[in-house]
Amino acid sequence: LSNKVAIVTGSSRGIGRGIAHQLARQGARVVVTSRKLEACETVVKEIEADGGQAIAVASNVGQKDDVAALVEKTIETYGQLDIVVCNAAANPAFGPMQTLEDEAFDKIMRVNLQSNIWLCNFAGPHMAKRGGGSMILISSITALDGSRVIGAYALSKAAQIQLARNLAVEWGHQNVRANC
């Protein structure tokens, strides 16, 4: 991934952190992002100690302006964008769907789905301009089965699968891949 630039949302811990480290090991310059700058800076230091390149950008993917600023900062810093990994997710509700509060549902859909649409829409033109790129959405096995306790989360992850298909149709002719 030499000469490639990647944004990984939710990369201050867990799966996103592991993805950020692996992208850097493969030569990508990585934008580590989550809501807390200090947590992102810790991951950047780890990547740099391992010989990689990265920057930290605080971003709440549930806010469209933050997502736009994230892409702008990436272009400002590196002059390009080749890979987005939509990893950030939220699940503030556990229990049956009949007890799901509207606010919790809205947050799940905004963070787990809408933010991916925003990020891919902001990133896509930059990727197409460079001749191609990769949009990666991190879904979940919960997308494939019903759930008595995390139904809205499962619904959001199933929607990501369809979003990847739509993105592939919309961007594929410009050599931008979309996978989930």
Side-chain angles (χ1 to χ4, degrees):
L1 298 174
S2 298
N3 301 316
K4 301 291 183 186
V5 173
I7 292 174
V8 183
T9 65
S11 50
S12 65
R13 59 190 176 99
I15 293 169
R17 184 182 201 151
I19 292 169
H21 276 280
Q22 191 58 39
L23 288 168
R25 286 184 193 109
Q26 298 302 315
R29 292 169 285 170
V30 179
V31 179
V32 176
T33 184
S34 71
R35 290 175 294 154
K36 297 179 179 153
L37 184 60
E38 186 176 307
C40 296
E41 289 171 340
T42 298
V43 177
V44 167
K45 288 176 187 171
E46 293 168 357
I47 288 171
E48 290 174 342
D50 200 26
Q53 294 181 21
I55 62 168
V57 179
S59 180
N60 178 346
V61 297
Q63 301 296 321
K64 188 174 185 178
D65 290 344
D66 275 19
V67 177
L70 172 63
V71 172
E72 289 172 20
K73 179 65 175 177
T74 301
I75 298 301
E76 176 186 304
T77 303
Y78 292 122
Q80 68 189 64
L81 178 55
D82 305 285
I83 302 163
V84 292
V85 180
C86 302
N87 172 68
N91 186 36
F94 293 89
M97 295 285 285
Q98 71 187 100
T99 64
L100 181 65
E101 298 289 332
D102 290 346
E103 295 79 20
F105 180 81
D106 291 345
K107 180 176 183 173
I108 291 166
M109 290 301 170
R110 187 176 58 256
V111 172
N112 299 4
L113 184 62
Q114 182 70 59
S115 70
N116 296 342
I117 296 169
W118 292 333
L119 182 54
C120 292
N121 284 344
F122 291 134
H126 296 288
M127 294 178 183
K129 181 177 163 184
R130 287 189 41 82
S134 181
M135 300 172 176
I136 303 164
L137 287 65
I138 305 300
S139 186
S140 169
I141 193 71
T142 63
L144 304 177
D145 286 318
S147 173
R148 287 186 171 96
V149 294
I150 55 172
Y153 178 83
L155 180 62
S156 73
K157 293 302 185 170
Q160 283 182 334
I161 294 169
Q162 183 59 39
L163 175 58
R165 291 182 189 111
N166 292 355
L167 291 168
V169 169
E170 292 181 21
W171 290 102
H173 68 283
Q174 295 181 75
N175 200 32
V176 176
R177 295 177 316 281
N179 296 282
C180 192

